[in-house]
């Protein structure tokens, strides 16, 4: 089976859907001629022409606003925001228009739009090219929020997102575009070409939205995580020789609560790991749900490992990033109990 | 019968696309000042590019090489207290404002002595002392802030103007037009400097802009605009004189479209396949802002080649010192992570 990077598999998903459905259009800043800042749309304009894959001016509110208009008329726009850090001008359109269209039109209209954006740090982008704003979207009813962690899932989830009748926020952890980065920034990263999850079938397949997956079966504790942090969690558990059950949530909204409850009920201990800042992060929601549903099974408080509550610092990138040592410490503490 | 709205006299006045003033003939001192300033920016940026290649600078680094005449000519018209604000291609602006080359370079390498103690990086630096209000990584966001600075000037009646720099790409952001409207409505002393270097990253102006004459972008807001040869520091300065005089006398904002060119890629990772090598070479050989000044200095007999080499050496020494500092200064202490943040 062909192996692909996450960039290639994301491109493959759009390619597959553009070929199958002429309602699918792809646009954004530098998306057409240039092929996207991370090259996710490279070649699509050449293949499908300028009416289906094209450049937009630098105006995020306009890009998303226009996409909502297109979507409400039956097109399926898949737009790129160059960095998630640039999405805020479009936030009003996403929250007040896209997410609410179905509800306030009594189901008459839906908004089959996908907004793709690279998230997360690890490339020295500083505070305006490194953020993980997933919780700003999970707080909004009417949206679906997806964070893939590997090329196989990325393609299958993006196809599901494009086919979905409702707006999907598709967050791509840019640090793992080329390989499963485990947080050890001083070591080379294994490329996806040498990783099983880099195997990406040709053509159409889907990974369902709202379905988590166990990346590792384990008995001692449950780690709830997504995106880049899946690999950091794997590394931390291995380095501390802990038999952790690692759940890659894949979709944050709608959340696969069933898989979470099943796992935490079995292990009795739970840690949430994400790169975004701690306070009011998605981890808070997960911790609340776990204690609500698994209270009598818990043998230790639910722990959270997250980015510090600061802007993403340029020079101190790796102090901010919740790497394997911070995750490892939390694993040990949670196992020891209090 | 419907009556047609009367044409307001204010609206029929010449309010946009003002003819560019003739380049001001520089004195010897002005030519030398411009030469030195532009050379400092160029050598600094060349060094930053080298340090990036050597791995001392991580992440993003947007070089100003080719555009030096813009900030240099604008700066020559400013008086103490006038504010500057710009986007992410900000190193040249900071040097022109008189911020320390050591401080800028050490911020690029993420060191303790950097202007933001290493926490900001290339795109995010400030200096209250030099009235530089940032380096902003979000395209176009600084335009509204520059408008607010101008409001503060008007409010305090301090006679200062604010200079809000942005690119041809940022000129398509919605908040730019919200800013234009407020600035004109409230007659704010702000100069909007659109540095049209022809490419918004990899997207050429014609592929992203319905109206490519950016001096006309204020038409609906009654903001006059001038198209300026941004490669000629004298032309920039002439436009700056006109714009600052306009803004300082309570007439409101003005737009200056600087037609300029960046020689390097958008950032260090840009292979620049969207334009030909010939195009870049032609700009370098026919329009280079530094060469223009150099040629005039020599033609007029104001400087010899040796005089100019001496300036180049001085500038190189300053840049080398900044680079040494930026490589030897320690990285910020871990405790810095939680300073200057509300908890």
């Amino acid at each position: 089976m062909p192996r692909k990077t996450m960039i290639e598999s994301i491109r493959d998903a759009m390619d597959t859907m553009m070929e199958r459905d002429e309602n699918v259009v792809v646009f954004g800043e530098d998306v057409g001629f240039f092929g996207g800042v991370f090259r996710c749309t490279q070649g699509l304009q050449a293949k499908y022409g300028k009416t289906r894959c094209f450049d937009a001016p630098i105006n995020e509110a306009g890009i998303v606003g226009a996409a909502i208009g297109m979507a409400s008329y039956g097109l399926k726009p898949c737009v790129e925001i160059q960095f998630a850090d640039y999405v805020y001008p479009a936030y009003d359109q996403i929250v007040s228009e896209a997410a609410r269209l179905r509800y306030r039109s009594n189901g008459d209209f839906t908004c089959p739009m996908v907004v793709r954006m690279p998230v997360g740090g690890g490339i020295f982008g500083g505070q305006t090219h490194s953020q993980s704003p997933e919780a700003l979207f999970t707080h909004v009813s009417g949206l679906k929020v997806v964070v893939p962690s590997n090329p196989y899932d990325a393609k299958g989830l993006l196809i599901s997102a494009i086919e979905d009748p409702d707006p999907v926020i598709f967050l791509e952890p840019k640090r793992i575009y080329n390989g499963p980065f485990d947080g050890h920034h001083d070591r080379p990263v294994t490329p996806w070409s040498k990783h099983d999850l880099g195997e990406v079938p040709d053509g159409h397949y889907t990974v369902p939205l709202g379905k988590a997956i166990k990346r590792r079966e384990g008995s001692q504790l449950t780690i709830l995580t997504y995106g880049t942090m899946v690999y950091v969690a794997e590394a931390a558990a291995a380095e501390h020789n802990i038999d952790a059950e690692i759940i890659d949530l894949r979709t944050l909204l709608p959340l696969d609560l069933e898989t979470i409850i099943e796992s935490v009920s079995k292990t009795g201990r739970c840690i949430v790991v994400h790169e975004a800042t701690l306070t009011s992060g998605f981890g808070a929601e997960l911790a609340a749900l776990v204690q609500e549903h698994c209270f009598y099974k818990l043998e230790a408080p639910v722990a959270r490992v997250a980015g510090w509550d600061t802007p993403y610092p340029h020079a101190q990138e790796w102090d901010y990033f919740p790497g394997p040592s911070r995750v490892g410490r939390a694993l040990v503490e949670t196992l020891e109990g209090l | 019968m419907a009556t047609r709205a009367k044409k307001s006299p204010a609206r029929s006045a010449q309010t946009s696309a003002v003819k560019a003033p003739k380049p001001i003939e520089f004195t010897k001192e002005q030519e030398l000042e411009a030469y030195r300033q532009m050379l400092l920016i160029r050598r600094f940026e060349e060094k930053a590019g080298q340090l990036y290649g050597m791995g001392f600078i991580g992440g993003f680094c947007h070089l100003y090489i080719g555009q030096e005449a813009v900030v240099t000519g604008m700066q020559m018209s400013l008086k103490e207290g006038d504010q500057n604000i710009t986007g992410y291609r900000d190193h040249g602006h900071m040097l022109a404002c008189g911020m320390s080359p050591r401080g800028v370079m050490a911020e690029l390498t993420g060191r303790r002595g950097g202007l933001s103690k290493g926490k900001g990086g290339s795109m995010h630096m400030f200096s209250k002392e030099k009235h530089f209000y940032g380096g902003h990584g979000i395209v176009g966001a600084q335009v509204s802030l520059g408008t607010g600075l101008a409001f503060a000037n008007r409010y305090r009646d301090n006679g200062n103007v604010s200079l809000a720099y942005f690119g041809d790409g940022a000129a398509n952001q919605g908040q730019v037009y919200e800013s234009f409207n407020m600035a004109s409505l409230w007659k704010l002393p702000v100069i909007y400097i659109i540095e049209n270097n022809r490419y918004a990253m990899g997207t050429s102006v014609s592929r992203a802009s319905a109206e490519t004459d950016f001096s006309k972008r204020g038409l609906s807001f009654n903001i006059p605009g001038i198209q300026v040869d941004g490669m000629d520091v004298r032309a920039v300065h002439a436009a700056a004189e006109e714009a600052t005089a306009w803004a300082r006398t309570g007439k409101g904002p003005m737009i200056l479209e600087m037609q300029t060119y960046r020689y390097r890629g958008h950032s260090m990772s840009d292979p620049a396949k969207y334009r030909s090598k010939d195009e870049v070479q032609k700009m370098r050989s026919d329009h280079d802002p530094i060469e223009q000044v150099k040629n005039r200095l020599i033609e007029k007999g104001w400087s010899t080649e040796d005089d100019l080499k001496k300036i180049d050496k001085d500038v190189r020494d300053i840049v080398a010192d900044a680079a040494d500092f930026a490589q030897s200064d320690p990285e910020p202490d871990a405790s810095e992570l939680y300073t200057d943040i509300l908890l």
Side-chain angles (χ1 to χ4, degrees), chain B residues 60-107:
Chain B
F60 293 68
C61 186
H62 310 90
L63 303 182
Y64 198 62
I65 295 175
Q67 301 180 216
E68 297 91 343
V70 178
V71 284
T72 303
M74 290 305 303
Q75 199 66 29
M76 290 169 83
S77 292
L78 297 193
K79 65 175 203 180
E80 178 61 25
D82 291 343
Q83 305 101 340
N84 288 272
I85 188 166
T86 188
Y88 50 79
R89 197 178 304 286
D90 56 355
H91 313 158
H93 301 71
M94 294 187 282
L95 296 174
C97 285
M99 289 159 70
S100 123
R102 277 186 167 205
V104 180
M105 198 69 95
E107 189 61 37

Side-chain angles (χ1 to χ4, degrees), chain B residues 12-23:
Chain B
S12 60
Q14 177 75 359
T15 52
S16 102
V18 175
K19 206 164 162 262
K22 275 186 140 173

Side-chain angles (χ1 to χ4, degrees), chain A residues 30 33 55 60 128 308 315-316, chain B residues 118 124 173 201 203 207 333:
Chain A
D30 269 313
F33 180 84
D55 294 316
E60 291 82 10
T128 55
W308 306 120
Q316 294 169 309
Chain B
H124 316 108
Q173 282 278 23
M201 209 179 94
T203 300
R207 282 192 284 113
D333 188 75

Side-chain angles (χ1 to χ4, degrees), chain A residues 30 33-34 37 39 55 57-60 82-83 85-86 123-125 127-129 308-311 313-316 319, chain B residues 58-60 108 110 118-121 123-124 137-139 169 172-173 200-203 207-208 271 274 333 336-338 341:
Chain A
D30 269 313
F33 180 84
F34 197 81
V37 67
R39 307 293 187 269
D55 294 316
I58 303 181
N59 55 344
E60 291 82 10
Q82 199 163 72
F83 286 85
D85 314 66
Y86 300 174
I123 65 161
F124 281 106
Q127 53 193 263
T128 55
H129 293 75
W308 306 120
D309 283 335
T310 72
H314 174 66
Q316 294 169 309
D319 296 315
Chain B
F60 293 68
L108 297 182
K119 295 192 287 188
M123 299 173 279
H124 316 108
I138 297 298
V139 178
N172 293 323
Q173 282 278 23
M201 209 179 94
T203 300
R207 282 192 284 113
Y274 44 80
D333 188 75
E336 271 301 328
L337 194 59
Y338 269 97
I341 184 80

Side-chain angles (χ1 to χ4, degrees), chain A residues 42-296:
Chain A
Q42 198 162 42
L44 296 180
Q45 184 174 76
K47 187 166 175 187
Y48 296 101
K50 288 178 182 171
T51 52
R52 297 194 60 202
C53 176
F54 52 95
D55 294 316
I58 303 181
N59 55 344
E60 291 82 10
I63 291 169
V64 173
I68 296 168
M70 293 175 184
S72 61
Y73 196 68
L75 295 187
K76 290 182 177 168
C78 179
V79 302
E80 176 177 297
I81 298 293
Q82 199 163 72
F83 286 85
D85 314 66
Y86 300 174
V87 77
Y88 306 122
Y91 193 62
D92 183 43
Q93 288 290 346
I94 293 171
V95 174
S96 307
E97 304 298 333
R100 311 270 160 81
L101 201 56
R102 180 191 279 273
Y103 190 78
R104 74 166 176 250
S105 69
N106 197 24
D108 236 9
F109 288 95
T110 63
C111 184
M113 168 186 72
V114 178
V115 185
R116 295 177 38 244
M117 57 190 108
V119 295
I123 65 161
F124 281 106
Q127 53 193 263
T128 55
H129 293 75
S130 307
Q131 296 166 78
S132 298
E134 62 268 21
L136 297 179
F137 298 110
T138 56
H139 195 59
V140 179
S141 52
L143 297 179
K144 292 178 179 169
V145 181
V146 177
V147 190
S149 71
N150 59 75
Y152 177 87
D153 281 356
K155 179 176 172 183
L157 287 165
L158 184 52
I159 289 176
S160 292
I162 293 171
E163 290 178 338
D164 198 89
D166 289 301
V168 179
I169 305 298
F170 196 84
L171 307 172
E172 302 168 5
K174 62 174 99 74
R175 194 59 176 80
I176 54 171
Y177 266 150
N178 290 309
F181 175 67
D182 64 6
H184 288 292
H185 55 92
D186 47 352
R187 300 179 196 167
V189 174
T190 313
W192 284 118
S193 60
K194 297 203 171 110
H195 195 283
D196 287 348
L197 290 168
E199 289 192 353
V200 178
D202 287 331
H204 182 275
Y205 70 92
T206 58
V207 171
L209 303 184
K211 198 80 197 103
I213 190 165
K214 278 181 199 167
R215 290 288 167 216
R216 187 184 188 284
E217 295 268 352
S219 60
Q220 286 182 289
L221 51 73
T222 300
I223 304 177
L224 303 179
T225 189
Y226 47 93
T228 308
M229 290 301 142
V230 169
Y231 305 100
V232 176
E234 281 178 354
E239 283 156 25
H240 289 80
N241 211 15
I242 290 169
D243 186 25
E245 181 143 299
I246 300 174
I247 296 179
D248 177 357
L249 297 173
R250 301 198 290 198
T251 304
L252 308 188
L253 209 64
L255 184 66
D256 184 359
L257 195 54
E258 203 180 322
T259 299
I260 296 171
I261 295 171
E262 186 265 323
S263 175
V264 179
S265 300
K266 178 179 78 181
T267 62
R269 295 170 202 267
C270 178
I271 293 183
V272 181
V273 182
H274 61 59
E275 188 182 336
T277 48
L278 180 78
T279 302
S280 301
F282 192 63
E285 181 65 27
L286 292 171
L289 286 168
V290 167
Q291 74 85 21
E292 248 174 75
H293 293 276
C294 310
F295 187 75
Y296 294 105

Side-chain angles (χ1 to χ4, degrees), chain B residues 4-17:
Chain B
R4 281 176 75 178
K6 270 190 188 167
K7 212 174 176 187
S8 125
R11 273 169 197 273
S12 60
Q14 177 75 359
T15 52
S16 102

Side-chain angles (χ1 to χ4, degrees), chain B residues 50-248:
Chain B
Q50 279 174 16
L51 292 183
Y52 195 96
M54 292 159 71
F56 282 102
I57 299 171
F60 293 68
C61 186
H62 310 90
L63 303 182
Y64 198 62
I65 295 175
Q67 301 180 216
E68 297 91 343
V70 178
V71 284
T72 303
M74 290 305 303
Q75 199 66 29
M76 290 169 83
S77 292
L78 297 193
K79 65 175 203 180
E80 178 61 25
D82 291 343
Q83 305 101 340
N84 288 272
I85 188 166
T86 188
Y88 50 79
R89 197 178 304 286
D90 56 355
H91 313 158
H93 301 71
M94 294 187 282
L95 296 174
C97 285
M99 289 159 70
S100 123
R102 277 186 167 205
V104 180
M105 198 69 95
E107 189 61 37
L108 297 182
T109 56
R111 304 305 171 99
R112 210 173 275 194
L115 282 156
S116 296
K117 294 184 190 165
K119 295 192 287 188
S122 164
M123 299 173 279
H124 316 108
M125 282 180 253
F126 300 81
S127 169
K128 202 169 196 175
E129 185 200 345
K130 301 293 182 188
H131 313 290
F132 181 74
Y133 285 78
H136 295 266
I138 297 298
V139 178
Q142 76 275 17
V143 181
S144 306
L145 275 60
T147 306
L149 289 167
F151 185 95
N153 291 335
R154 173 109 207 258
Y155 190 77
R156 296 226 166 104
D157 196 20
N158 60 13
N160 282 121
V161 300
S162 91
L163 266 51
Y165 289 89
F166 53 106
D168 48 274
N172 293 323
Q173 282 278 23
Q175 59 184 323
V176 169
Y177 299 91
E178 299 176 23
S179 301
F180 284 178
N181 187 46
M182 290 187 284
S184 185
L185 183 68
W186 298 329
K187 294 275 175 282
L188 304 182
V190 53
I191 303 170
Y192 295 111
I193 301 150
I194 304 177
E195 297 195 61
N196 176 5
N197 65 16
R198 302 197 197 174
Y199 297 93
M201 209 179 94
T203 300
S204 64
V205 161
S206 60
R207 282 192 284 113
S209 292
E211 173 55 82
T212 57
D213 179 346
F214 291 95
S215 70
K216 288 186 189 162
R217 290 289 182 104
L219 202 66
S220 312
F221 308 98
N222 296 324
I223 302 177
I226 307 178
Q227 233 171 12
V228 184
D229 176 0
M231 303 301 278
D232 180 352
V233 68
R234 298 169 311 163
V236 173
H237 183 48
E241 287 291 290
E242 190 151 320
T244 48
W246 174 272
R248 276 196 223 288

